[in-house]
């Protein structure tokens, strides 16, 4: 057994020796593979390696040694030793430097803790930036007895004498008498006298130097005056003798100076938001309502009397309000100062009439005048001040004489005249007659009706306006729902006003702005409310048609609703949630509602006006409108035979109601005058005479022809314009009894015939082809997306995507298994090498 192990180990060592002795692969620069990598992407395997072909295995082994082998070596090993000494891993430092820096850090750490509150003697202490050591020397003592300029400077002898005890003077010796002084020392008195003599001598020398400097300065000033005249110098203003005329300013300079005195732009106030404006408006209305309630109770006059009963003597009487700004403005006009006032305006007017003979004044005169004015103003102020002082003195004298003190300083205001009971009752009645300034939002339609009934149109508008301001959505959380309900209540109230006898159309017009404001505030709620009314009217029309076979014309309330819809919502949209149902209702009313009376004819004309308004911007063709106008013109024809046109529903070629617009008396056209048709006649036609009814028929015919003319203007740019109006042209040209109509109607008839061409255009109408046209062959290649090459995987796009993901998953799974096997083999080899090395040891 030992032999087998030795032979195995010897064979393994030979293999290792052979592998070490194998020659290394030489690098040929032309065979080096370089894949450049532009940027790193997380989660993507890097394939951009550099090296020779055939060495990928060695690179993989090296990577495993760097990553997997390290993890294997550190497996089940939790404790680690990390040397955190300073400079331990710094190879640039020598051991001596490391030891020195460690010692320095240790000393700093201990020194900071011990000497935190100890004062270092080497540090210099200061006070206001000056050293305390220098301040203790007292080197800046000022000699108050000395009159010299060099104050604060003392000689060394004087300092030593006064502060050194005189010892220095006793030890000091003169240079000439050294030998004598050695034998005969001076006394203290002699030394002090000598010091005094020296100080006086120094003082005299300084005084002499000062006097010499003063004499030299005076001499220099005299010499400068002698040569001053030789230099260029401007004479003073007071010494000028020859005054030259000042050149006149041109128009540009005058304009520049005038612009300098114009008012500058003032900063405007901050723009307030809608919430702030609503809050301020409600506060204002509440204040007015509180004032009205006080006047109703009779408390306003008492408050006014109580507030004006007493005025203190300390009151400056400055609580007045200026009715106008009487301050004079400073301006620059025609090259001189101008203070606006009544007298100067008159002088300017007189000067303009005389031709502007006055000339411009010079600056010196203006300055002089200004100084005189200032002096006069000061004199006036002094006079006023004197007067004020006189008043004060008189007051003080009166106080001294009376001796009553502060009681006499009080000044009582004049008592207002007493208010009689009749005036108070009249004021209370007037306050009761006024409209309240605050209103709660109505919770139901009956509350709204009770709130608005009994008031005129303007008062109703004012009530709604104040209701909206007091219940703005930003003021409370529940106001939004209340105002949304109010929009529906208003539409219902407007319908009731339109169905009254007679209809109150003035109030309806007055309430339109409030309805528009609510629609802008809550567009969704307004849309739902109008949709509900339109759908209810459409369902009622369908039920009537099913029961009776024909439906009456819509009442005036529905006409008003259609008009409000056109005002609130856009009618030119291709499809709209509100105007499209209204458009369909109009078409049904024009095709299914029977025309059996003149009131129905008037309602039909109103519907035609509304339909024309709906299509005026979009220029959409409305066949029901043209057919209804053709039927109305058919009602004016007395002879219903040999017609060149066809009448469609709701009109009939012949019948009971086919002669509604035929005149009973042809001579009434001479007494007819053009005037607009009242909408009240659409509700109920009052009892009239036959002549008045013929006049009404002529007015209806005139309105019908005017609508036809407007339609021709609207559709004149369409290719099928002539085809559309050919039936109307045939009726107007051959069958309409225009000879018996007034001149305005005849002129309108002639304009319509001139607008419609005699022959329609030869262009064929646009229709779809029977077969689909074959497209032209193009050279552009057809691009087809190919998800996977090779084998077809599925039919649909989802199946192809699923198969592609499965294929990718299998490929990745196989690659992962391959890598795991390689890692396992690598670890097995490392374990075996560890075992063999340990056995050798």
């Amino acid at each position: 057994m030992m032999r087998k192990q030795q032979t195995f180990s010897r064979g393994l060592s030979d293999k290792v020796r052979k592998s070490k002795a194998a020659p290394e692969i030489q690098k040929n620069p032309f065979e080096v593979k370089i894949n450049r990598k532009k940027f790193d992407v997380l989660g993507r395997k890097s394939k951009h390696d550099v090296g020779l072909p055939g060495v990928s295995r060695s690179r993989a082994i090296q990577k495993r040694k760097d990553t997997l082998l390290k993890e294997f070596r550190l497996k089940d090993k939790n404790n680690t030793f990390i040397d955190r000494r300073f400079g331990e891993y710094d190879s640039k430092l020598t051991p001596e430097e490391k030891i020195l820096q460690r010692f320095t850090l240790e000393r700093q750490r201990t020194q900071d803790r011990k000497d935190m509150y100890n004062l270092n003697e080497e540090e210099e202490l200061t006070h206001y930036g000056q050293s305390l050591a220098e301040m203790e020397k007292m080197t800046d003592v000022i000699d108050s007895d000395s009159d010299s300029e060099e104050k604060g400077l003392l000689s060394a002898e004087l300092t030593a004498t006064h502060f050194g005890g005189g010892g220095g003077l006793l030890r000091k010796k003169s240079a000439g008498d050294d030998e004598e002084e050695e034998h005969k020392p001076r006394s203290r008195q002699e030394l002090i006298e000598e010091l005094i003599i020296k100080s006086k001598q120094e003082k005299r020398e300084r005084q002499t130097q000062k006097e010499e400097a003063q004499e030299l300065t005076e001499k220099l000033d005299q010499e400068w005056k002698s040569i001053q005249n030789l230099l260029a110098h401007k004479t003073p203003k007071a010494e000028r003798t020859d005054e030259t005329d000042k050149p006149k300013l041109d128009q540009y300079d005058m304009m520049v100076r005038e612009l300098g005195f114009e008012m500058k732009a003032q900063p405007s106030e901050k723009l307030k938001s809608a919430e702030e404006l609503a809050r301020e408006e409600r506060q204002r209305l509440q204040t007015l309502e509180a004032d009205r309630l006080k006047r109703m109770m009779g408390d306003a006059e008492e408050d006014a009397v109580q507030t004006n009963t007493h005025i203190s003597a300390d009151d400056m009487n400055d609580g007045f309000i200026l009715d106008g700004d009487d301050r004079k403005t400073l301006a620059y006009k025609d090259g001189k100062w101008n203070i606006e006032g009544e007298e100067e305006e008159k002088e300017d007017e007189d000067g303009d009439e005389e031709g502007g003979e006055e000339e411009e004044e010079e600056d010196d005169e203006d300055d002089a005048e200004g100084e005189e004015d200032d002096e006069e103003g000061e004199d006036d102020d002094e006079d006023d001040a004197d007067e004020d002082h006189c008043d004060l003195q008189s007051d003080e004298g009166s106080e001294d004489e009376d001796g009553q003190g502060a009681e006499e300083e009080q000044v009582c205001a004049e008592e207002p005249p007493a208010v009689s009971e009749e005036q108070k009752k009249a004021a209370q009645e007037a306050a009761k007659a006024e409209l309240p300034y605050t209103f709660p939002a109505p919770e139901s339609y009956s509350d709204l009706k009770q709130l608005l009934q009994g008031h005129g149109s303007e008062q109703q508008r004012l009530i709604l306006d104040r209701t909206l301001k007091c219940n703005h959505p930003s003021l409370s959380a529940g106001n939004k729902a209340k105002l949304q309900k109010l929009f529906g209540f208003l539409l219902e109230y407007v319908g009731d006003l339109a169905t009254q006898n007679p209809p109150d159309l003035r109030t309806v017009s007055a309430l339109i702005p409030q309805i528009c404001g609510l629609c802008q505030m809550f567009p969704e709620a307004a849309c739902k409310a109008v949709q509900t009314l339109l759908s209810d009217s459409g369902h009622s029309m369908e039920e009537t048609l099913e029961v009776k076979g024909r439906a009456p014309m819509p009442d005036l309330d529905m006409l008003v609703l259609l008009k409000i819809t056109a005002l609130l919502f856009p009618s030119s949209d291709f499809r709209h949630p509100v105007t499209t149902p209204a458009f369909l209702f109009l078409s049904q009313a024009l095709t299914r509602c029977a025309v059996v009376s003149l009131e129905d004819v008037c309602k039909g004309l109103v519907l035609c006006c509304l339909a024309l308004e709906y299509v005026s911007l979009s220029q959409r063709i409305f066949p029901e409108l043209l057919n209804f106008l053709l039927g109305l013109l058919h009602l004016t024809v007395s002879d219903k035979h040999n017609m060149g046109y066809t009448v469609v529903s709701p009109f009939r070629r012949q019948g009971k109601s086919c002669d509604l617009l035929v005149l009973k008396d042809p001579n009434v056209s001479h007494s007819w005058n053009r005037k607009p048709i009242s909408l009240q006649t659409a509700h109920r036609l009052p009892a009239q005479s036959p002549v008045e009814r013929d006049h009404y028929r002529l007015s209806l015919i005139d309105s019908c022809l005017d609508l036809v003319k407007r339609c021709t203007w609207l559709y004149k740019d369409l290719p099928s314009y002539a085809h559309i109006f050919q039936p109307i042209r045939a009726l107007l040209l051959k069958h309409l009894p225009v000879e018996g109509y007034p001149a305005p109607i005849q002129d309108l008839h002639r304009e319509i015939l001139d607008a419609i061409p005699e022959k329609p255009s030869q262009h064929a109408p646009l229709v779809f082809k029977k077969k689909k046209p074959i497209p032209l062959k193009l050279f552009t290649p057809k691009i087809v997306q190919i998800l996977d090459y090779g084998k077809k995987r599925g039919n649909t796009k989802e199946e192809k995507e699923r198969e592609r993901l499965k294929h990718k998953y299998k490929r990745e799974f196989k690659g992962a298994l391959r890598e795991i096997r390689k890692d396992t083999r690598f670890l097995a080899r490392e374990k075996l090498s560890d075992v063999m090395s340990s056995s050798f040891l």
Side-chain angles (χ1 to χ4, degrees), residues 60 222 645:
Q222 293 177 0
Y645 56 89

Side-chain angles (χ1 to χ4, degrees), residues 222-246:
Q222 293 177 0
E223 292 178 354
W224 168 252
K225 289 182 179 180
S226 62
I227 64 173
Q228 186 178 8
N229 296 328
L230 301 178
L231 301 177
H233 180 66
K234 185 178 180 181
T235 58
K237 189 174 182 181
E239 298 179 3
R240 293 180 187 175
T241 56
D242 298 335
E243 295 181 353
T244 58
D245 293 338
K246 197 175 177 184

